[in-house]
Amino acid sequence: MKDLGGKLGKLVFPDVEEKKSRRIVIQIIAGLLIALLSVAGMLFYQHQEVKQQQKFQQIKGTEITLPEIPPAVPEEKETEPTEGKSPEAGDGDDMGEIDTNTVTFSYDWDSLVEANGDVKGWLYLPDTPIDFPVVGTLDNDYYLTHDFWKQKKSSGCPFMDKDTGQWDFNRTVYAHNMGSSSSTMFSPLLKYKDEDYFLAHRQLYYTECYGDTAEYQVMAAVKYNAKDTGSWDFRTRNHADMESYNLWMERLQEHALYYAEPDHAPTQILTLSTCDRSEFGKDGRLVIVAGKCQQ
């Protein structure tokens, strides 16, 4: 290597001292080798992620094509009460009916449970690569470093906050951000930092294991400091009363990077959380909050 470096050094840098030119050439070669290994590692990682997504799709069962849902057209507020109805009739939890298309998802839960008994449900965000199972265990750290098949993997697996009950008001799902150039795990959520994207992608679906599919409407994208739980905690699961509920919703709006009023006051919320160091360093999180649509 030394002789080769010396010869190349003389050839490439004829006017530079032999010892110095040899050192430069060796550094260049080492840099190229490191870059080559990095590219190879990245390609191998991407290949593994594609294989994992394919396995998810195989175990998922029947593929469902969603019907097109036309964009909502804002309705003009009534200036006079309709017959037999007071102006306040639409206030509170009962905010009227909404026209929605019925969407049925089919998953092979037997195969999913056989593969991993920790499976809680399936998360799907249309027009994104986020289409995979969600697990849950009493240890929030385990699925940071293990995939759905419980194999050691740096990308981990989406998991629900420990001890979360099915009927909790707010259920939080965590997954890694693998970088802005990645499409794996919750990396695609970074696109919600763009307001146009946020407004155009307000629909997601969560299906309970052996249960029903619920549609959720994205309400807010929040840049969050994990150390700032005193002013507002996105993980708050339940509220003792309406005052607590309303205060939490108000604080959500105050913290939101973008906020869009939901069609109905949500009786249940699904929160997606991933790391985002762009503003608060290692304590930074990007949080997407979605309210359950009325069935």
Side-chain angles (χ1 to χ4, degrees):
M1 183 72 176
K2 226 176 182 184
D3 291 340
L4 178 61
K7 290 176 182 178
L8 285 173
K10 282 183 181 180
L11 184 63
V12 180
F13 307 106
D15 298 329
V16 179
E17 181 189 345
E18 182 180 344
K19 194 173 182 181
K20 188 176 181 181
S21 65
R22 181 170 61 238
R23 186 169 65 249
I24 293 171
V25 168
I26 291 174
Q27 288 173 344
I28 292 172
I29 292 173
L32 289 172
L33 285 173
I34 291 170
L36 186 62
L37 288 172
S38 298
V39 170
M42 184 177 66
L43 291 174
F44 176 75
Y45 175 80
Q46 289 177 345
H47 175 68
Q48 292 296 101
E49 292 304 317
V50 168
K51 282 179 66 177
Q52 177 174 261
Q53 195 63 29
Q54 288 173 343
K55 286 174 76 175
F56 281 153
Q57 295 310 309
Q58 288 169 0
I59 205 170
K60 172 182 176 181
T62 308
E63 184 177 349
I64 301 298
T65 302
L66 292 174
E68 277 198 28
I69 299 177
V73 178
E75 294 181 1
E76 293 183 6
K77 293 183 179 179
E78 294 179 359
T79 54
E80 297 179 3
T82 55
E83 186 178 346
K85 185 177 179 181
S86 69
E88 293 82 14
D91 296 342
D93 289 340
D94 182 11
M95 299 183 71
E97 296 298 321
I98 180 173
D99 263 338
T100 57
N101 292 309
T102 301
V103 180
T104 304
F105 290 84
S106 176
Y107 298 107
D108 186 351
W109 293 116
D110 288 341
S111 296
L112 285 161
V113 171
E114 185 179 350
N116 188 339
D118 292 336
V119 64
K120 297 294 183 185
W122 195 285
L123 177 66
Y124 173 55
L125 273 68
D127 195 31
T128 79
I130 297 176
D131 184 15
F132 35 54
V134 173
V135 294
T137 182
L138 296 178
D139 180 7
N140 268 1
D141 292 330
Y142 183 79
Y143 283 105
L144 290 172
T145 55
H146 292 77
D147 66 11
F148 180 77
W149 290 272
K150 299 188 175 183
Q151 301 298 310
K152 272 273 191 181
K153 198 163 190 181
S154 59
S155 59
C157 181
F159 63 95
M160 196 163 281
D161 198 11
K162 65 179 182 177
D163 301 328
T164 302
Q166 182 178 344
W167 306 113
D168 283 344
F169 164 73
N170 179 18
R171 296 188 292 172
T172 300
V173 179
Y174 303 98
H176 282 305
N177 162 22
M178 304 306 293
S180 57
S181 61
S182 174
S183 61
T184 59
M185 295 299 105
F186 275 180
S187 303
L189 293 184
L190 296 182
K191 294 181 179 179
Y192 277 94
K193 292 195 290 184
D194 176 82
E195 186 174 13
D196 289 338
Y197 186 91
F198 168 81
L199 293 172
H201 296 82
R202 296 189 57 209
Q203 193 179 37
L204 64 85
Y205 296 90
Y206 183 77
T207 305
E208 302 289 346
C209 183
Y210 289 110
D212 297 328
T213 297
E215 180 183 354
Y216 288 78
Q217 187 177 37
V218 173
M219 301 160 49
V222 182
K223 283 186 177 181
Y224 188 79
N225 186 342
K227 287 186 176 178
D228 187 26
T229 55
S231 61
W232 178 73
D233 190 349
F234 71 85
R235 296 160 296 191
T236 300
R237 290 191 191 167
N238 295 294
H239 301 283
D241 48 42
M242 281 303 296
E243 184 179 355
S244 171
Y245 170 91
N246 289 333
L247 180 61
W248 190 89
M249 296 295 285
E250 287 172 12
R251 293 281 170 83
L252 166 63
Q253 294 184 52
E254 292 170 5
H255 281 75
L257 178 65
Y258 305 117
Y259 179 84
E261 196 69 37
D263 293 333
H264 302 275
T267 55
Q268 194 171 48
I269 280 174
L270 191 68
T271 300
L272 312 181
S273 173
T274 193
C275 293
D276 177 19
R277 300 193 174 198
S278 62
E279 189 165 332
F280 301 111
K282 63 183 179 62
D283 296 314
R285 304 288 184 271
L286 179 66
V287 177
I288 306 302
V289 181
K292 189 175 181 180
C293 298
Q294 290 189 356
Q295 300 293 303

